Amino acid sequence: MKRYPQFPSAALSPTNADIQVALDSRVAQSRQPQSRQTQNRQAQRQQARTHCALGASHTRQAEYAKAICHFRLALQLDPGEGVAALRLGRLLHRLGDAKEAIAAYRTALERVPDFAEAHYSIGLMCEQSGDDRLAIKHYRKALFSDRCYTNAYRRLGSVLTRLQVTDVAIAVYGQAIENDAADAELNNSLGQVYFAKGDTASEMDAYQRALTLDAGSAIAHQNLGRLYQRYQATHQAIYHFQQACELAPTQLQLLSDYVWALMRQGLWREVLSCFRRVCVDEFEFV
């Protein structure tokens, strides 16, 4: 039987120091590739952000093909990039490619599931296509992700008002106003809900609050003018329509309301004056 040389027992029992050196070496080796991977991921994320910014810049310059290219490159470089998908969806929506826009928004949600702006954007497209139920669903999801998303409150309230779900719409606008008490437009919208509900006193209060918050709100004046006109308070209606026209002289709908109120009162000289002003304005714009 072959005999092997005998080694001292100490050689077979490494010290704690030897074990620590071996472990440190192994840990260092394992960390090195991870560090490189982390650096590579960070570099790719930075490149993705750069492409996303370039896409936004090209969008502003109406260079849409270049913008789309940069947004897609950003998505390829960073699997967690959601902003590029959102911007791509908005651009495709603007260009009329609804199918691809929805796909981009869904990509944004796959990467950032609680992305309020992506839910809001899908809600807009659903509303425009007539799918109010799905629009409501996405507006609510947007608000679940961001309780202070004012535009989502506006659109949700608008859809609910159109569907005659007035009590819920009032609650939606009420929450939005609680979040942003200085927003005159929200009070105008709330007034429209009270109009749909037939609550004239609350409607007037909402419009007057809107004027208190923004004395230059042509819409608030128009809404008050229409309210007074419904109750045959023609002089008050004419006053508010006139104020609205002075604040927004290029809005033909405001001028139309004003002219009709003047005609009902038999103020033909003022009617002719309005028509002359419109003709002069049109000539100047030509």
Side-chain angles (χ1 to χ4, degrees):
M1 184 174 179
K2 186 176 179 180
R3 292 179 178 276
Y4 293 95
Q6 296 294 316
F7 292 94
S9 60
L12 300 176
S13 302
T15 65
N16 289 337
D18 293 331
I19 294 173
Q20 190 61 47
V21 168
L23 288 174
D24 289 345
S25 176
R26 183 168 294 181
V27 169
Q29 290 175 0
S30 66
R31 282 180 177 174
Q32 189 173 7
Q34 289 181 0
S35 177
R36 287 175 184 169
Q37 290 175 3
T38 301
Q39 290 175 358
N40 289 338
R41 283 197 297 268
Q42 289 175 347
Q44 286 182 330
R45 286 174 186 154
Q46 184 58 49
Q47 290 174 3
R49 285 193 290 267
T50 300
H51 280 295
C52 187
L54 286 170
S57 176
H58 285 300
T59 300
R60 288 191 295 271
Q61 297 169 20
E63 297 173 337
Y64 300 132
K66 290 181 180 179
I68 291 171
C69 180
H70 281 293
F71 290 141
R72 293 196 187 282
L73 283 171
L75 294 174
Q76 291 174 9
L77 286 166
D78 184 1
E81 176 60 58
V83 174
L86 176 72
R87 291 177 176 174
L88 175 61
R90 285 177 173 172
L91 176 55
L92 292 169
H93 185 192
R94 185 191 307 176
L95 296 175
D97 193 342
K99 183 178 179 180
E100 289 298 317
I102 287 287
Y105 291 142
R106 296 203 181 280
T107 297
L109 288 173
E110 287 170 3
R111 299 184 178 203
V112 186
D114 59 347
F115 202 167
E117 290 184 82
H119 279 298
Y120 173 76
S121 297
I122 293 177
L124 280 179
M125 293 195 69
C126 293
E127 186 181 351
Q128 290 169 2
S129 67
D131 192 342
D132 289 333
R133 179 175 297 180
L134 195 55
I136 289 171
K137 176 182 175 181
H138 281 286
Y139 291 146
R140 282 178 167 164
K141 285 186 175 182
L143 290 171
F144 183 79
S145 299
D146 182 358
R147 297 289 185 183
C148 295
Y149 199 161
T150 302
N151 283 337
Y153 281 113
R154 284 196 180 100
R155 295 314 317 155
L156 177 58
S158 177
V159 175
L160 292 169
T161 302
R162 186 168 64 251
L163 296 176
Q164 295 296 310
V165 190
T166 53
D167 288 336
V168 181
I170 288 168
V172 167
Y173 284 124
Q175 181 61 56
I177 292 169
E178 185 176 327
N179 293 339
D180 186 1
D183 193 318
E185 185 181 340
L186 288 172
N187 283 280
N188 276 318
S189 298
L190 179 59
Q192 291 292 309
V193 185
Y194 282 123
F195 165 64
K197 190 178 180 180
D199 187 343
T200 304
S202 297
E203 179 189 1
M204 181 175 288
D205 286 343
Y207 297 149
Q208 288 176 338
R209 280 197 305 272
L211 274 181
T212 300
L213 291 168
D214 180 9
S217 174
I219 297 300
H221 278 294
Q222 181 188 34
N223 288 333
L224 279 169
R226 288 179 173 180
L227 186 152
Y228 282 119
Q229 190 164 260
R230 292 201 308 270
Y231 291 93
Q232 307 300 318
T234 309
H235 289 293
Q236 292 94 325
I238 288 173
Y239 167 77
H240 285 289
F241 287 144
Q242 184 179 16
Q243 293 297 310
C245 288
E246 290 176 359
L247 290 166
T250 61
Q251 297 295 318
L252 292 181
Q253 184 58 59
L254 300 180
L255 184 62
S256 175
D257 287 342
Y258 182 36
V259 167
W260 277 109
L262 292 172
M263 291 172 65
R264 288 189 181 94
Q265 197 68 10
L267 300 173
W268 299 106
R269 182 176 299 178
E270 287 80 356
V271 170
L272 290 174
S273 175
C274 287
F275 282 124
R276 289 195 190 99
R277 186 176 64 188
V278 170
C279 292
V280 170
D281 290 342
E282 289 293 329
F283 181 75
E284 287 177 352
F285 282 119
V286 173

